[in-house]
């Protein structure tokens, strides 16, 4: 069995820098690629690196065998829980099931090759499926959906903890080889933006391709910029910045969606259970994957670009209004499947702001850029004049902000400016006579007008800047005390993945190829 000690030690080291004693063990071996600023006593953050596996024919065969066995174990564990409940109203716990593993391995020696921790991981998936089920039952919205038996073709994969795997990246911290116990050394492509201690490795099969999703504990760093920027979501543009920069909606996705609708029709025409249908379904899965990758790439790129320019970021707190207003006007050609396409467009466009905001949050935290989320109800960015502060309702169709004070601006830019001003107000007006520790948000007083800032005290969510990072110019005047009051936002993001990019949040998305198909 492989152990992962060398994978752990190879990643973290700062070339040319003295190794701090508490990290000496970890950075003992070769200095590689990325640097990690280890002098600060900060908690590690978790990031995910996704590698594409290029397995040989023999390795592929072995991976498929493993996938089938893990799926079999999953289904068996599910069946045991179901039967025990039906027959005796007995609940079987995760603990009970892992306790049976030694016996199961005696009866089924073919499971031994999978590794004890990986087997436990699959039982854990059953447990999580149950927990999610009970959560849905308690929530009581609609059908709770009992955990289902899985077909091995749709089974997402399995997870290793410390042992059974080792990723050895190249000198530059990318690609290299992934060694899996009883499979061999597999060529991989991809990498992490910031390397670190490798914690877990999840092998995933998606649309016929194999991936490894590796969780790393690291200190991700990035550079911020020098501008204070407001940002607004829109219909015409994906986002508008307070300086007038617009970021277009990626129209690419719409084209892909048409292809997707066509591919789904092909599936519908094939006989159930036939080879041709399986082939058509694979095409649908591949398209889904492409769309997902493109969208993730777009969101990662845009959020990185925005953070790279910013010393302060201000945006609206997400509200349902933002989630429901985007689909209109994106379906250009009327005809077949308009409703379906509209639904898909909506799904894609609507999840984008939430995902984008999550990416923005953790990237801003990495760069030490404060991100202020302005409460839409108290500040009303789309109805307030950024110049004079007068509040006047606008219809959604009014694309230009015209005010009696003579200001004329694109609507979205005006909203972005209002957000920015509200954020700046929160920081700049910290009362100098106040005791240290009084927060920026609480100390904020409306400056230009009450109308503009509303009750500023409740209007903001301040996201943490990590200790030790340099405050932006706009904040330095207010002293360091703002820092203590900002709320931690960590690196929590969605499980969204970009191939080769850096990723957030630990547990892998459970069902990877379930969307679409039939
Ligand atoms: Zn005005």
């Amino acid at each position: 069995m492989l152990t992962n000690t060398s994978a752990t030690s190879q990643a973290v080291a700062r070339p040319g820098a003295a190794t701090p004693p508490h990290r000496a063990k970890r950075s003992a071996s070769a200095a590689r690629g990325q640097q990690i600023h280890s002098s600060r006593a900060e908690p590690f953050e978790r990031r995910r690196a996704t590698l594409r596996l290029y397995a040989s024919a023999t390795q592929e065969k072995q991976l498929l065998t493993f996938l089938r066995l893990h799926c079999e174990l999953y289904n068996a564990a599910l069946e045991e829980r179901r039967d025990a409940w039906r027959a005796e109203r007995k609940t079987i716990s995760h603990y009970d099931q892992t306790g049976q593993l030694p016996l199961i391995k005696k009866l089924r020696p073919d499971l031994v090759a999978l590794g004890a921790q990986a087997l436990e991981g699959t039982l854990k998936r059953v447990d999580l499926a149950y927990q999610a089920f009970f959560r849905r039952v308690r929530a009581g919205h609609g059908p709770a959906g009992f955990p289902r038996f899985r077909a091995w073709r749709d089974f997402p994969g399995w997870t290793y903890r410390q042992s059974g795997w080792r990723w050895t990246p190249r000198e530059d911290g990318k690609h290299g080889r992934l060694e899996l116990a009883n499979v061999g050394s597999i060529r991989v492509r991809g990498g992490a933006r910031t390397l670190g201690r490798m914690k877990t490795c999840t092998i995933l099969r998606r649309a016929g391709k194999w991936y490894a999703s590796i969780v790393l504990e690291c200190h991700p760093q990035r550079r911020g910029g020098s501008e204070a920027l407001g940002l607004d979501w829109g219909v015409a543009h994906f986002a508008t910045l307070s300086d007038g920069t617009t970021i277009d909606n990626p129209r690419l996705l719409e084209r892909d969606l048409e292809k997707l609708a066509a591919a789904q029709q092909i599936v519908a025409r094939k006989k159930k259970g036939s080879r041709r249908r399986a082939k058509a379904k694979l095409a649908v899965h591949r398209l889904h994957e492409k769309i997902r990758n493109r969208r993730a790439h777009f969101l990662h790129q845009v959020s990185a670009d925005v953070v790279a320019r910013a010393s302060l970021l201000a945006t609206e707190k997400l509200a349902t209004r933002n989630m429901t207003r985007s689909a209109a006007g994106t379906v250009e050609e009327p005809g077949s499947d308009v409703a379906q396409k509209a639904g898909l467009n909506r799904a894609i466009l609507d999840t984008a702001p939430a995902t984008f905001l999550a990416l923005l949050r953790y990237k801003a935290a990495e760069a030490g850029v404060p991100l202020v989320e302005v409460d839409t109800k108290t500040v009303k960015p789309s109805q307030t004049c950024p110049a004079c502060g007068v509040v006047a309702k606008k219809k959604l169709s009014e694309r230009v902000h015209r005010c009696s004070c003579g200001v004329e601006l694109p609507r979205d830019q005006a909203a972005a400016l209002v957000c920015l001003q509200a954020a700046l107000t929160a920081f700049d007006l910290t009362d100098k006579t106040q005791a240290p520790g009084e927060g920026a948000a609480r100390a904020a007083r409306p400056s230009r007008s009450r109308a503009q800032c509303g009750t500023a005290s409740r209007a903001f969510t301040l996201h943490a800047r990590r200790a030790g990072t340099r405050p932006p110019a706009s904040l330095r005047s207010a002293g360091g005390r703002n820092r203590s009051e900002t709320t931690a936002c960590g690196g929590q993001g969605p499980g969204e993945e970009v191939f080769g990019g850096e990723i957030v949040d630990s547990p892998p998305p459970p069902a990877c190829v379930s969307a679409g198909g039939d």
Side-chain angles (χ1 to χ4, degrees), residues 231-242 246 325 381-382 398-401 409-417:
L231 185 147
D232 185 73
W233 318 106
V235 182
H237 303 287
F238 174 75
T240 304
L241 301 183
S242 49
T246 54
R325 75 178 176 189
S382 58
E398 287 178 54
R399 302 312 311 159
V400 178
H401 167 83
L409 279 169
R411 174 200 174 102
D412 294 342
Q413 190 186 353
L417 274 168

Short mmCIF file of all heavy atoms in Angstrom, two decimals, residues 231-242 246 325 381-382 398-401 409-417:
data_model
loop_
_atom_site.label_atom_id
_atom_site.label_comp_id
_atom_site.label_asym_id
_atom_site.label_seq_id
_atom_site.Cartn_x
_atom_site.Cartn_y
_atom_site.Cartn_z
N LEU A 231 -19.75 46.71 -8.52
CA LEU A 231 -20.10 45.75 -9.56
C LEU A 231 -21.60 45.48 -9.51
O LEU A 231 -22.16 45.32 -8.43
CB LEU A 231 -19.30 44.48 -9.33
CG LEU A 231 -19.38 43.36 -10.34
CD1 LEU A 231 -18.04 42.64 -10.40
CD2 LEU A 231 -20.47 42.37 -10.01
N ASP A 232 -22.22 45.47 -10.67
CA ASP A 232 -23.66 45.20 -10.72
C ASP A 232 -23.96 44.12 -11.75
O ASP A 232 -23.33 44.04 -12.80
CB ASP A 232 -24.41 46.49 -11.10
CG ASP A 232 -25.91 46.29 -11.05
OD1 ASP A 232 -26.46 46.20 -9.94
OD2 ASP A 232 -26.54 46.20 -12.13
N TRP A 233 -24.92 43.25 -11.43
CA TRP A 233 -25.35 42.21 -12.37
C TRP A 233 -26.35 42.81 -13.32
O TRP A 233 -27.09 43.70 -12.93
CB TRP A 233 -26.05 41.06 -11.66
CG TRP A 233 -25.40 40.66 -10.42
CD1 TRP A 233 -25.83 40.91 -9.16
CD2 TRP A 233 -24.18 39.96 -10.30
NE1 TRP A 233 -24.96 40.40 -8.27
CE2 TRP A 233 -23.93 39.80 -8.93
CE3 TRP A 233 -23.27 39.43 -11.23
CZ2 TRP A 233 -22.82 39.15 -8.47
CZ3 TRP A 233 -22.17 38.77 -10.76
CH2 TRP A 233 -21.95 38.65 -9.40
N GLY A 234 -26.43 42.27 -14.52
CA GLY A 234 -27.41 42.86 -15.42
C GLY A 234 -28.02 41.87 -16.38
O GLY A 234 -27.67 40.70 -16.40
N VAL A 235 -28.95 42.39 -17.18
CA VAL A 235 -29.58 41.58 -18.21
C VAL A 235 -28.76 41.68 -19.49
O VAL A 235 -28.39 40.66 -20.08
CB VAL A 235 -31.01 42.09 -18.47
CG1 VAL A 235 -31.69 41.21 -19.51
CG2 VAL A 235 -31.79 42.12 -17.18
N ALA A 236 -28.46 42.91 -19.86
CA ALA A 236 -27.75 43.12 -21.12
C ALA A 236 -26.31 42.64 -21.02
O ALA A 236 -25.78 42.05 -21.94
CB ALA A 236 -27.77 44.61 -21.49
N HIS A 237 -25.70 42.88 -19.86
CA HIS A 237 -24.32 42.43 -19.64
C HIS A 237 -24.29 41.53 -18.43
O HIS A 237 -25.08 41.69 -17.51
CB HIS A 237 -23.40 43.62 -19.41
CG HIS A 237 -23.42 44.61 -20.52
ND1 HIS A 237 -22.83 44.37 -21.73
CD2 HIS A 237 -23.99 45.83 -20.60
CE1 HIS A 237 -23.03 45.40 -22.51
NE2 HIS A 237 -23.73 46.31 -21.86
N PHE A 238 -23.34 40.63 -18.43
CA PHE A 238 -23.19 39.76 -17.26
C PHE A 238 -22.92 40.60 -16.02
O PHE A 238 -23.50 40.40 -14.97
CB PHE A 238 -22.03 38.78 -17.50
CG PHE A 238 -21.69 37.95 -16.31
CD1 PHE A 238 -22.51 36.90 -15.94
CD2 PHE A 238 -20.57 38.23 -15.55
CE1 PHE A 238 -22.20 36.13 -14.83
CE2 PHE A 238 -20.26 37.47 -14.45
CZ PHE A 238 -21.08 36.42 -14.08
N ALA A 239 -22.03 41.57 -16.15
CA ALA A 239 -21.74 42.47 -15.03
C ALA A 239 -21.25 43.80 -15.57
O ALA A 239 -20.72 43.88 -16.68
CB ALA A 239 -20.69 41.86 -14.11
N THR A 240 -21.49 44.84 -14.79
CA THR A 240 -21.00 46.18 -15.14
C THR A 240 -20.24 46.71 -13.94
O THR A 240 -20.69 46.60 -12.81
CB THR A 240 -22.18 47.12 -15.46
OG1 THR A 240 -22.96 46.53 -16.50
CG2 THR A 240 -21.68 48.48 -15.91
N LEU A 241 -19.05 47.28 -14.19
CA LEU A 241 -18.26 47.85 -13.10
C LEU A 241 -18.56 49.34 -12.99
O LEU A 241 -19.04 49.97 -13.93
CB LEU A 241 -16.77 47.63 -13.36
CG LEU A 241 -16.31 46.18 -13.48
CD1 LEU A 241 -14.81 46.12 -13.66
CD2 LEU A 241 -16.73 45.38 -12.27
N SER A 242 -18.23 49.90 -11.83
CA SER A 242 -18.56 51.30 -11.57
C SER A 242 -17.80 52.25 -12.51
O SER A 242 -18.22 53.37 -12.72
CB SER A 242 -18.27 51.64 -10.11
OG SER A 242 -16.97 51.20 -9.78
N THR A 246 -17.90 46.88 -19.03
CA THR A 246 -18.96 45.87 -19.04
C THR A 246 -18.36 44.51 -19.36
O THR A 246 -17.40 44.41 -20.12
CB THR A 246 -20.04 46.19 -20.08
OG1 THR A 246 -19.40 46.36 -21.34
CG2 THR A 246 -20.81 47.44 -19.72
N ARG A 325 -34.38 37.53 -12.82
CA ARG A 325 -34.63 38.51 -13.86
C ARG A 325 -33.81 38.30 -15.12
O ARG A 325 -33.95 39.04 -16.07
CB ARG A 325 -34.36 39.92 -13.31
CG ARG A 325 -32.89 40.23 -13.17
CD ARG A 325 -32.69 41.63 -12.67
NE ARG A 325 -31.26 41.85 -12.47
CZ ARG A 325 -30.75 42.90 -11.88
NH1 ARG A 325 -31.54 43.83 -11.39
NH2 ARG A 325 -29.46 43.05 -11.75
N PRO A 381 -29.60 50.03 -5.02
CA PRO A 381 -28.64 50.52 -6.02
C PRO A 381 -29.27 50.91 -7.35
O PRO A 381 -28.82 51.86 -7.98
CB PRO A 381 -27.69 49.33 -6.21
CG PRO A 381 -27.86 48.50 -5.01
CD PRO A 381 -29.27 48.69 -4.58
N SER A 382 -30.32 50.19 -7.76
CA SER A 382 -30.83 50.48 -9.09
C SER A 382 -31.81 51.66 -9.10
O SER A 382 -32.23 52.10 -10.15
CB SER A 382 -31.51 49.23 -9.65
OG SER A 382 -32.55 48.84 -8.79
N GLU A 398 -36.05 50.49 -18.38
CA GLU A 398 -35.25 51.72 -18.47
C GLU A 398 -33.79 51.37 -18.32
O GLU A 398 -33.34 51.01 -17.24
CB GLU A 398 -35.65 52.71 -17.36
CG GLU A 398 -37.00 53.35 -17.58
CD GLU A 398 -37.37 54.27 -16.41
OE1 GLU A 398 -36.56 55.17 -16.09
OE2 GLU A 398 -38.45 54.08 -15.83
N ARG A 399 -33.08 51.49 -19.40
CA ARG A 399 -31.68 51.06 -19.39
C ARG A 399 -30.72 52.18 -19.02
O ARG A 399 -29.53 51.97 -18.88
CB ARG A 399 -31.27 50.46 -20.74
CG ARG A 399 -32.09 49.27 -21.20
CD ARG A 399 -32.27 48.21 -20.14
NE ARG A 399 -31.02 47.84 -19.48
CZ ARG A 399 -30.94 47.27 -18.31
NH1 ARG A 399 -32.04 47.02 -17.61
NH2 ARG A 399 -29.79 46.96 -17.79
N VAL A 400 -31.24 53.42 -18.97
CA VAL A 400 -30.38 54.57 -18.68
C VAL A 400 -30.87 55.26 -17.41
O VAL A 400 -32.07 55.43 -17.21
CB VAL A 400 -30.36 55.56 -19.86
CG1 VAL A 400 -29.49 56.77 -19.54
CG2 VAL A 400 -29.84 54.87 -21.11
N HIS A 401 -29.95 55.63 -16.58
CA HIS A 401 -30.30 56.38 -15.37
C HIS A 401 -30.25 57.88 -15.70
O HIS A 401 -29.19 58.41 -16.04
CB HIS A 401 -29.30 56.04 -14.25
CG HIS A 401 -29.38 56.96 -13.08
ND1 HIS A 401 -30.30 56.81 -12.07
CD2 HIS A 401 -28.66 58.08 -12.77
CE1 HIS A 401 -30.14 57.78 -11.18
NE2 HIS A 401 -29.15 58.57 -11.59
N LEU A 409 -26.37 58.19 -16.92
CA LEU A 409 -25.43 57.08 -16.91
C LEU A 409 -26.14 55.79 -17.31
O LEU A 409 -27.36 55.68 -17.13
CB LEU A 409 -24.90 56.86 -15.49
CG LEU A 409 -23.77 57.74 -14.94
CD1 LEU A 409 -23.63 57.50 -13.45
CD2 LEU A 409 -22.47 57.46 -15.66
N PRO A 410 -25.40 54.82 -17.87
CA PRO A 410 -26.04 53.52 -18.06
C PRO A 410 -26.54 53.01 -16.71
O PRO A 410 -25.87 53.20 -15.70
CB PRO A 410 -24.89 52.64 -18.57
CG PRO A 410 -23.89 53.57 -19.13
CD PRO A 410 -24.02 54.84 -18.34
N ARG A 411 -27.71 52.39 -16.75
CA ARG A 411 -28.36 51.97 -15.52
C ARG A 411 -27.47 51.12 -14.62
O ARG A 411 -27.36 51.37 -13.42
CB ARG A 411 -29.62 51.18 -15.91
CG ARG A 411 -30.35 50.56 -14.77
CD ARG A 411 -31.23 49.43 -15.30
NE ARG A 411 -31.84 48.74 -14.17
CZ ARG A 411 -33.11 48.93 -13.78
NH1 ARG A 411 -33.87 49.78 -14.41
NH2 ARG A 411 -33.60 48.28 -12.76
N ASP A 412 -26.83 50.12 -15.23
CA ASP A 412 -26.03 49.19 -14.43
C ASP A 412 -24.81 49.88 -13.82
O ASP A 412 -24.42 49.58 -12.69
CB ASP A 412 -25.58 48.00 -15.27
CG ASP A 412 -26.77 47.15 -15.71
OD1 ASP A 412 -27.84 47.27 -15.08
OD2 ASP A 412 -26.62 46.37 -16.67
N GLN A 413 -24.22 50.80 -14.57
CA GLN A 413 -23.07 51.52 -14.04
C GLN A 413 -23.49 52.38 -12.86
O GLN A 413 -22.77 52.47 -11.85
CB GLN A 413 -22.43 52.39 -15.12
CG GLN A 413 -21.09 52.96 -14.67
CD GLN A 413 -20.51 53.95 -15.67
OE1 GLN A 413 -21.02 54.14 -16.77
NE2 GLN A 413 -19.42 54.59 -15.27
N ALA A 414 -24.65 53.02 -12.98
CA ALA A 414 -25.16 53.85 -11.87
C ALA A 414 -25.33 52.98 -10.62
O ALA A 414 -24.93 53.37 -9.51
CB ALA A 414 -26.48 54.50 -12.26
N ALA A 415 -25.90 51.79 -10.81
CA ALA A 415 -26.11 50.88 -9.67
C ALA A 415 -24.78 50.47 -9.05
O ALA A 415 -24.63 50.43 -7.83
CB ALA A 415 -26.90 49.67 -10.11
N ALA A 416 -23.80 50.19 -9.91
CA ALA A 416 -22.48 49.80 -9.41
C ALA A 416 -21.86 50.93 -8.61
O ALA A 416 -21.24 50.71 -7.56
CB ALA A 416 -21.58 49.41 -10.58
N LEU A 417 -22.06 52.16 -9.11
CA LEU A 417 -21.52 53.34 -8.39
C LEU A 417 -22.17 53.50 -7.02
O LEU A 417 -21.50 53.82 -6.04
CB LEU A 417 -21.75 54.60 -9.23
CG LEU A 417 -20.68 54.90 -10.28
CD1 LEU A 417 -21.14 55.98 -11.23
CD2 LEU A 417 -19.36 55.29 -9.60
#
